[in-house]
Every structure is written in structure tokens, then in C-alpha cells.
Amino acid sequence: MNYQYKSLSVPGGGFVTGFLFHPNQKDILYCRTDIGGVYRYDFTEDMWISLVDSVTDVEKWKTYPLSIALDPKYPNRLYMAVGEHNQSAIGYSEDYGQTFTYLDTPKNDRGLPVEIHGNAPGRSTGERLLVDPFNSDTLYLGTMFDGFFVTEDRCKTWTKVEVGPNDEKNIAFIGVDEKAGKVETEASEERPARIIVATSGRQGSPDGISRGPSIYISQDGGQSFQVMDGQPQTVMEGSHDHPGYVGQRIAFDEKYTYITYASYNIGWSDWNMYGCDTGKCSDGALFRYAFDEKGNITEAQDLTPSHPMTKVHSGNSKTGFRLGYGLSGICTDPHKPGFVILSTITATPDVFYRSSDYGLTFEPLMAGLEIGQIDFNVSYQHPKYNGKRSLIHWMSDIKINPFDSDMALFNTGAGVFATHSLTHDHQVVFESFSQGMEETVHLNVYAPVREKPGVIDVIGDYGLFVFDHVNHQPETSASNSQGNRWITAMNADFTDYDDGVIVSTLRGNWTGETKGGLVISYDNGKTFEKLPDPGPLNDEIDQAIEYLKTPNVTSGWIAMSSDCSNLVWAIGLPLNGDLVVYSYDGGLTYAKTNFLDKKGDLIRFNGKPVKIFSDRVDPNTFYAFADMEEGALGFISQDGGETFSEITMPKDFPNCLLAGIDSQQKYEIRPLPRKGGAFYIALEENGLWLLEYSSVKSGFHGECLSQPGHVIKRIGIGVNDQGELTRLYTSGTINGVYGFYLSDDGGRTWLRINDDDHQFGDIRSIDGDKHVAGRFYVATGTRGLIYGQPVS
């Protein structure tokens, strides 16, 4: 069966951490993302092309790029440093990223592969992987915890080089100043004479608290490094959690070297938190350096511009802070001497500057909605859905197209923006530039039996998108009547009948315009409103509800009865069984739910989680799975959620924990639509189970349906060719082959329905369409929301 795969599009959405244009070949542009791999821009089709669709779920670490590198002499070559901690590699392509070979990274002092993680703190800084511009066989690698390495045989062998007298371990970027020329090393290899690296400053700390120098320089081709003169001095005022500037990005032109800095002593940061992904900076700076022919610094000039709206920093004006926020993105134009662009990070609002005099003066081209013009051509990014503010943030990298001086890009925590009028004297226009980029984390996907909506998409950061059609992007995610969105949802529930009701657990947004809790739609997701909070009930529950008013706090897990009248809500994270409430009136009032063991005694969970599911037919019946020390326990409520009683589980049911959410949701539980008390449960290496409640046996009975050795990770239910709701979909490993599969015999045999080029990395949830035979939906943590359907 031949399948095609397409996106249910939510363009952009996630954190793009950096860009690279090829310096010598037109129309070659790549970007790296924190969890979504690397993309190449197709200038003919005007869209981004994912280069990691072939990565499987079991190798999702390949979709976490910390750095990318291009070979100036060979435009077809692309390198990327990828990994999830010590599971790391250098991905290498000779066909513009269409295919990759994975090469070994160096070993650290413990004999393990060096630690790399594209989604770790500090991911927003410059490139840590670099191809020597004079010798394509030589590459430089800066790691996050293990120091600086050089390879002279294209990643076959590596040599460690100490950075500074204390051997700095955490490298923030590497830069090569080509105008300094070349030098011969001891191995007679010609290398660039001047190499500059930024570090976290931990090893050079003067007191074990404040950061030491960040920038180190080599004048001998990277054989040795010394502290570079002329760095901004540490400001000790404010929080004392490792104050000091860390180099963010570097740029060069024919005269100068430019370095941006940020300081992250913000009250709770550690040594490794020195990127804008902390959400806050204490200060920033821009310095310009000039060198003489001997490599001595002749100028170290502070060019830090003021904010166009808040002329003084946001901190105490009596301190030594320059700004109260950071500076990061920096780029020069090779064809326009003196032309420099610069960005703030974590300013309110962030600013895009340009200069035509080598940074001596800067003109703000964009700042919030007050300066410049932004075309929010992606609906959910429009200010009316973002508190009437610009959603641009985490603008850590900006790049000018070396073959088009009017084109520049910048990254955000919500995708890419670009301008094609950078040099214009009149207003510069920016626009969303994320077509084809689906870099969001989708936690659950539901395809209801009822005709509308077509798909309910539970998503990290953006809450809940409701799709009426696979080709129609929703206008926005769940938002209130003022247009303010809620953010990250954990689940949603709905009935199998045409009542239009959807209820979801959503977080309050960062700005506080929305508060976390239960959010409901009565019109199939067109409009949403927040339900009243429970309380007062008891101190523990009341405190949990109060905490949900904090921005970006997980609200928990919700189940709704088949007639929409009864709700059962496990509040917060984890889904503490002592914090479960029920409502008999659709969420207007609540009372505490009690759980009883087989003896009828009240259970105290003490933080152990419980996950609730509604019966798809009987409005008074709910089920629960609790993760206890002895394994998974099953419960049933037949009084609308007021009381749950422990019931038996099958004797040979694996000792698996079923109540995880978000990144802890290892197993998928899928109720059978329009059938009471029946659940498919995907238990990975323990196979696919079907559990059904029996009142005669006072518990669940069931069996493992899949064959021994089959790994069933996710499970979805769809309609078969005869219109029956019996077709199953999974992601997993069948007969030793990973892929997507369907089954028409209850999971006993499977047919693979994807190929090696369409794997999509991290798979969080799967469901089948209930109306279109063969169509199914894949919620990924790598490539957004995907659907597959057969083609003739």
C-alpha cells in the first residue's frame, strides 16, 4: 500500500536557533532548530524543506542539532553536530542534506562521546562546529561540557585543545577571522591564524561564583588559546548567581571583529544557562575589536546602543548595567562596507538595528509594534491573538543574504521572520518566513467520530488547535473572547456524539492574560472560555488551583462524560491522585473525588499519579489508571466521578506505569469509540493490549494482541474500507523493522505504510480518521502534525 504524507500546517511555532548562508554559492540557506532538526530553504518553491524526515523515533536524538557547518569550498557539503547528551554524532552530507552519514564525535575524559544537545540551555548562541576555510579536512568542534576539539581528517580522529590556562569546558561559539591570514601548525597543516571562541567562563572564575573571561583567542591556528583583551567587565550588582558576560555571537568585516555579549545572573540561573532560552537577561553589550599585523588588539570599543523606547536599562539605574537585557544577533554585509545589523534578546520589546558606519551609530528598524512594520501572514502569530503585542522573542541570530543585501532573516521562539527591504530608506517591512517549517511539539492527537471537528491537536506552547479539514489551517489555537491564547495543553476530551463540546487542560500564557485550568468550547472549537475554578475544597486542592494562575503551569488531565454533564479532573503535574475533583454540572461546581482500595478503605496517593478516562457510552462511568509502587492499578467510578473503586487488572498485565503526561507519557491509552469500558493500550516492548471492563469479574480482562517481539509505541483507531471502526494504526517495530503500520485484525498482523524517507522522528501520539479509510494522524515532537493517506 503506497502512502503519501503531508502536514496539517502550523507554520513555524518553535525555536529556530540559527542560520547559515553559504558564503560563495547563491541560494544555499540552512537553519537549525532546537528539536526539529535542520531545514534547507528552497528558493524556487519559497519554502523550507526538512532534512530529518528519515530519522526514526528510536534515533530522535538526531533531530537535536546544536550546530551546523558549511564548507566554503564545497557548497554541497553540510555538517551538523547532533545529540541528546552523550548520544552524539556529526551528521555529514554531500548532497545538500538529502542524505546523511553519521560520524563519531570525540570522546570525553570519561571515555564517552562528548555531550551535545540541541535543546539544552545555551542553544541560542553561535556555531560550535566550523569547517576550516583554508582546509576542508579540518573541522573545529566546541562542546557544551567537554571542551574544544580539532579534527584534521574530517571527523575520523580528534585532538583536544585546552582553551585558556584553566581549560574552559563549555564552548558557546567558534569564529575564524580570515583576514588574519594563515599559519603553519606543528603538523605542517595550514590553518587560519586567528580563531576566537566564547566560553561560559566557569573554569576561569576568580571566586567560584562570578564568571571569568568568556572570550579566548588563538593566534597560532588553534594550537593554544589565551584570554582576549578588551572584554566587558563583570557587573556584580543584582543577583549573584554567576554574574558575568558570555559571548553570544561573532561577526567579521574587512576592518573589525564584532562580538555580542549577555549576562544571565537573573536569580536562578546556573553556569550552563547563558542563552536567551532562560527567558531573561540581566545585561548585554556589543564590542568592536581591531587588530594590528602582529595580532595585538588596537581597539576594543563599546558600541552598545540604547533601547529606542526605554533609554535606560530596566534594572536599577544606579548599577553598572548597560541595558538590563542582552544583545545577540550580529551580521555584516560583505558587499557593503560598514553595514552591520544587530538584535537584542529578552528586551521589552526586542529590537532589530542596522548601522552603516561600522556600528558607531544604530538605527532601530523594528521594535515591538511601534517601530517598523511586520506582516503577520500566519494567522496565529497576529498580535490580536498575542495580547496585542508582537510575539517576536528569542531573536538570537540575524543573517544577511550574502548575495542579496536587501534580504535578512532573524530567528524567534516562534519560527523565522525575514525582510526583503533591508537597505531601503523608507520603512523596512518584515514578514513571517516559516512556510514548510513545522517545528512544534504535539502531545496528543484525536480524530473524533462525530463529523466536526476533523482533528483535535494538543500541542506544547500553543495549547489546542482544532482542524476542520486537513488543508485548512485554523485561525488560531484556543483563545478567549479578547483573543488571548492559552498555551500548552496536556489532553482534551469530547464525546462521540454531535454536541460540539471540547474540554481541555490548558496553561495560562506568559503574559498573564489567561490563567491555567479547564477551558471549554461549545461549538467544535470555534470559541473557548475558561470554566470556573473549583473551591474552596481543602488546603491541598485549593493551593494547587491557586498555583495554576502562575503563567505556564501544567493544568493536568480531564475526562468528560458521554453526555457532557460530568467532569473528572486530575489537577496539575504530576496527576496527583489526591488532587482529583469531579463536577456534575459541566464544570460550574466541584467536589473532591475519593479513591477506595479493594477493602473499601480510602487511598492516600501521596503524589502518585492517576489518569482518568470517560466511558464512551455510559455518562456515569469513568475509569482510572494509577501508578503505584506495586505497578498500575485500575479503578472504576459508576457515580459520575465522585468515588472510584479499585478493580482487578489482568494477572499477566505488565508492570507498566500508565499515568504519565507530556514527556513522561511513555504509553498511549486509546478508548474504543462508541463502546463502553474498552481500551487499546500501546505498551512498547510489552506489545498491544486490549482491556475491557467486566462487571461479572469486577475488573478488566484482556490480552496482549501483538506478537512476541513486536514493539507497539502508539495506537490509533480508524475506519476500515467497509466503514467499520476497527482499523488500527501504530508506530513501532514489527519483525525488526521500525515504521508506521496498520492492522485490520485487531493488531495480530501489521502492514507497513511508510518508507525509510518518511519517519518524522519523535512520535508522541497516533490516531486514525473515523470517516476516511486509510487516513491517519501522527503527532510528533519533531515535525509538527502529519497525516498519511493511501495513494493509488
Side-chain angles (χ1 to χ4, degrees):
M1 184 180 294
N2 293 323
Y3 259 72
Q4 66 176 5
Y5 290 87
K6 296 181 178 180
S7 294
L8 281 83
S9 184
V10 180
F15 188 22
V16 176
T17 55
F19 306 102
L20 282 181
F21 282 97
H22 196 278
N24 302 315
Q25 180 67 51
K26 184 180 179 182
D27 291 348
I28 298 178
L29 167 64
Y30 299 92
C31 75
R32 55 178 164 98
T33 70
D34 55 1
I35 51 89
V38 175
Y39 285 79
R40 183 185 69 245
Y41 194 75
D42 187 323
F43 283 85
T44 302
E45 299 295 329
D46 288 329
M47 66 183 300
W48 294 97
I49 307 296
S50 170
L51 304 182
V52 297
D53 285 355
S54 62
V55 174
T56 68
D57 183 273
V58 294
E59 292 186 320
K60 62 185 180 183
W61 57 271
K62 293 179 178 178
T63 69
Y64 303 151
L66 181 64
S67 186
I68 52 179
L70 302 180
D71 189 325
K73 296 180 179 179
Y74 296 91
N76 57 306
R77 291 182 179 176
L78 169 66
Y79 295 86
M80 58 183 186
V82 297
E84 188 173 15
H85 302 300
N86 292 115
Q87 193 170 31
S88 62
I90 304 296
Y92 168 60
S93 174
E94 290 192 336
D95 53 13
Y96 302 94
Q98 293 184 61
T99 60
F100 284 93
T101 300
Y102 289 88
L103 310 172
D104 290 340
T105 51
K107 297 294 193 295
N108 62 19
D109 295 341
R110 294 170 292 152
L112 299 172
V114 293
E115 192 161 348
I116 289 172
H117 201 320
N119 196 30
R123 63 196 188 272
S124 64
T125 61
E127 299 305 333
R128 295 170 169 92
L129 182 65
L130 191 71
V131 179
D132 189 305
F134 304 127
N135 187 341
S136 296
D137 290 338
T138 299
L139 286 85
Y140 308 99
L141 174 65
T143 68
M144 306 182 79
F145 301 101
D146 302 306
F148 181 86
F149 294 83
V150 180
T151 176
E152 295 180 341
D153 52 15
R154 291 173 64 197
C155 308
K156 294 183 178 67
T157 61
W158 295 88
T159 301
K160 188 170 187 307
V161 178
E162 292 187 359
V163 175
N166 300 296
D167 190 17
E168 293 288 341
K169 297 294 194 296
N170 197 317
I171 309 301
F173 69 66
I174 305 170
V176 167
D177 189 354
E178 293 186 47
K179 64 180 175 289
K182 296 181 285 187
V183 64
E184 285 195 2
T185 67
E186 293 179 359
S188 298
E189 292 282 348
E190 283 192 330
R191 291 188 191 167
R194 185 175 301 143
I195 302 174
I196 299 172
V197 301
T199 76
S200 69
R202 180 175 187 176
Q203 274 64 44
S205 170
D207 52 16
I209 298 174
S210 58
R211 298 181 187 273
S214 174
I215 307 299
Y216 289 78
I217 188 168
S218 173
Q219 304 283 12
D220 59 6
Q223 297 178 96
S224 62
F225 287 87
Q226 296 78 40
V227 173
M228 186 167 127
D229 294 333
Q231 300 182 50
Q233 297 300 304
T234 298
V235 178
M236 294 302 296
E237 288 86 350
S239 298
H240 285 191
D241 51 334
H242 316 307
Y245 294 94
V246 176
Q248 302 292 294
R249 301 265 173 171
I250 190 167
F252 305 93
D253 61 22
E254 80 285 359
K255 294 176 67 174
Y256 299 108
T257 296
Y258 304 84
I259 298 178
T260 55
Y261 296 89
S263 183
Y264 289 92
N265 54 315
I266 55 179
W268 49 268
S269 63
D270 63 29
W271 288 106
N272 304 319
M273 299 172 73
Y274 52 81
C276 67
D277 36 41
T278 60
K280 187 178 180 182
C281 300
S282 62
D283 203 14
L286 168 65
F287 272 61
R288 187 182 76 181
Y289 301 91
F291 297 84
D292 64 20
E293 293 181 356
K294 295 181 179 180
N296 300 309
I297 292 178
T298 58
E299 175 188 309
Q301 186 167 354
D302 186 346
L303 301 180
T304 307
S306 62
H307 197 284
M309 300 172 193
T310 54
K311 297 299 183 182
V312 296
H313 59 76
S314 58
N316 183 345
S317 60
K318 295 181 181 180
T319 72
F321 290 141
R322 290 170 171 80
L323 298 172
Y325 52 85
L327 295 176
S328 184
I330 185 80
C331 189
T332 61
D333 188 332
H335 305 296
K336 294 177 69 65
F339 197 90
V340 184
I341 56 175
L342 171 72
S343 73
T344 66
I345 46 171
T346 74
T348 306
D350 272 321
V351 186
F352 185 115
Y353 300 94
R354 74 178 174 189
S355 171
S356 58
D357 56 7
Y358 296 97
L360 291 175
T361 59
F362 280 98
E363 171 193 7
L365 298 183
M366 182 191 70
L369 301 176
E370 291 76 18
I371 297 176
Q373 179 181 334
I374 307 172
D375 177 8
F376 292 99
N377 53 46
V378 175
S379 179
Y380 78 87
Q381 296 182 345
H382 197 279
K384 69 180 179 180
Y385 298 121
N386 293 276
K388 298 180 174 59
R389 302 179 182 89
S390 169
L391 57 52
I392 290 169
H393 63 289
W394 292 6
M395 192 165 58
S396 64
D397 192 21
I398 51 180
K399 289 289 193 298
I400 299 171
N401 186 338
F403 296 92
D404 180 357
S405 294
D406 273 328
M407 181 185 180
L409 302 93
F410 62 85
N411 65 334
T412 75
V416 182
F417 285 74
T419 180
H420 295 278
S421 55
L422 179 62
T423 66
H424 290 196
D425 291 334
H426 54 78
Q427 190 174 65
V428 175
V429 179
F430 298 87
E431 64 181 356
S432 180
F433 194 72
S434 297
Q435 186 64 32
M437 180 179 291
E438 301 293 334
E439 208 261 314
T440 42
V441 177
H442 299 249
L443 303 177
N444 278 292
V445 62
Y446 309 96
V449 177
R450 63 200 201 200
E451 288 289 341
K452 289 186 178 181
V455 182
I456 300 172
D457 176 24
V458 173
I459 183 173
D461 292 335
Y462 292 97
L464 190 75
F465 279 94
V466 179
F467 290 82
D468 284 336
H469 191 277
V470 294
N471 295 324
H472 295 164
Q473 180 191 332
E475 185 172 355
T476 189
S477 56
S479 57
N480 63 21
S481 58
Q482 287 76 46
N484 299 307
R485 285 205 307 266
W486 288 275
I487 59 176
T488 305
M490 289 296 113
N491 84 310
D493 206 2
F494 50 91
T495 75
D496 294 339
Y497 306 95
D498 293 325
D499 48 48
V501 181
I502 303 169
V503 64
S504 181
T505 50
L506 286 149
R507 298 181 187 180
N509 65 23
W510 283 106
T511 57
E513 281 101 345
T514 56
K515 306 297 182 184
L518 292 187
V519 176
I520 197 164
S521 172
Y522 300 103
D523 54 10
N524 286 310
K526 292 182 176 63
T527 61
F528 289 87
E529 63 184 67
K530 185 178 178 298
L531 289 170
D533 291 332
L537 295 177
N538 63 36
D539 288 346
E540 194 174 15
I541 292 175
D542 295 348
Q543 289 173 11
I545 291 296
E546 185 65 24
Y547 184 54
L548 298 187
K549 297 177 183 178
T550 305
N552 198 32
V553 169
T554 295
S555 295
W557 188 274
I558 185 64
M560 180 174 64
S561 65
S562 60
D563 65 355
C564 306
S565 61
N566 301 336
L567 300 176
V568 184
W569 178 16
I571 300 167
L573 178 70
L575 307 176
N576 186 346
D578 298 317
L579 303 179
V580 178
V581 297
Y582 70 94
S583 172
Y584 283 158
D585 54 14
L588 299 180
T589 61
Y590 298 84
K592 184 183 183 303
T593 293
N594 291 318
F595 287 80
L596 306 178
D597 63 18
K598 290 180 179 179
K599 297 178 182 179
D601 295 332
L602 189 67
I603 295 176
R604 178 70 180 173
F605 285 89
N606 296 317
K608 294 289 192 299
V610 61
K611 187 179 285 187
I612 317 292
F613 293 88
S614 62
D615 190 279
R616 306 311 292 175
V617 177
D618 183 354
N620 293 313
T621 301
F622 291 82
Y623 306 90
F625 299 98
D627 291 348
M628 308 297 280
E629 291 179 0
E630 60 268 37
L633 299 184
F635 294 86
I636 188 172
S637 172
Q638 294 177 308
D639 57 9
E642 180 177 351
T643 305
F644 281 83
S645 299
E646 184 183 351
I647 57 178
T648 60
M649 298 287 282
K651 289 183 179 180
D652 53 350
F653 190 77
N655 186 11
C656 296
L657 302 181
L658 303 177
I661 57 175
D662 196 1
S663 60
Q664 302 301 316
Q665 187 169 300
K666 187 175 182 181
Y667 308 117
E668 184 152 42
I669 303 172
R670 184 73 64 179
L672 275 68
R674 292 184 177 170
K675 184 172 182 178
F679 300 87
Y680 283 111
I681 305 181
L683 292 177
E684 295 194 339
E685 65 276 1
N686 292 300
L688 175 66
W689 281 73
L690 174 62
L691 297 189
E692 296 186 79
Y693 175 73
S694 168
S695 59
V696 175
K697 296 184 178 182
S698 298
F700 284 117
H701 67 92
E703 60 177 330
C704 180
L705 303 175
S706 54
Q707 302 300 313
H710 289 181
V711 178
I712 309 297
K713 180 169 184 180
R714 303 300 180 200
I715 190 65
I717 304 170
V719 65
N720 66 10
D721 295 337
Q722 290 73 45
E724 302 163 324
L725 290 171
T726 59
R727 179 165 287 175
L728 302 181
Y729 298 90
T730 192
S731 63
T733 302
I734 308 295
N735 298 324
V737 179
Y738 175 83
F740 303 145
Y741 291 86
L742 69 76
S743 174
D744 280 326
D745 59 4
R748 289 172 172 81
T749 62
W750 298 90
L751 173 67
R752 191 180 182 199
I753 53 175
N754 72 319
D755 56 40
D756 291 346
D757 293 331
H758 299 87
Q759 309 271 23
F760 306 117
D762 182 16
I763 308 302
R764 298 295 185 94
S765 179
I766 279 180
D767 201 10
D769 195 285
K770 309 301 187 293
H771 305 282
V772 179
R775 181 183 290 173
F776 75 110
Y777 304 94
V778 184
T780 83
T782 304
R783 274 279 283 121
L785 184 60
I786 301 287
Y787 74 96
Q789 64 183 35
V791 292
S792 55

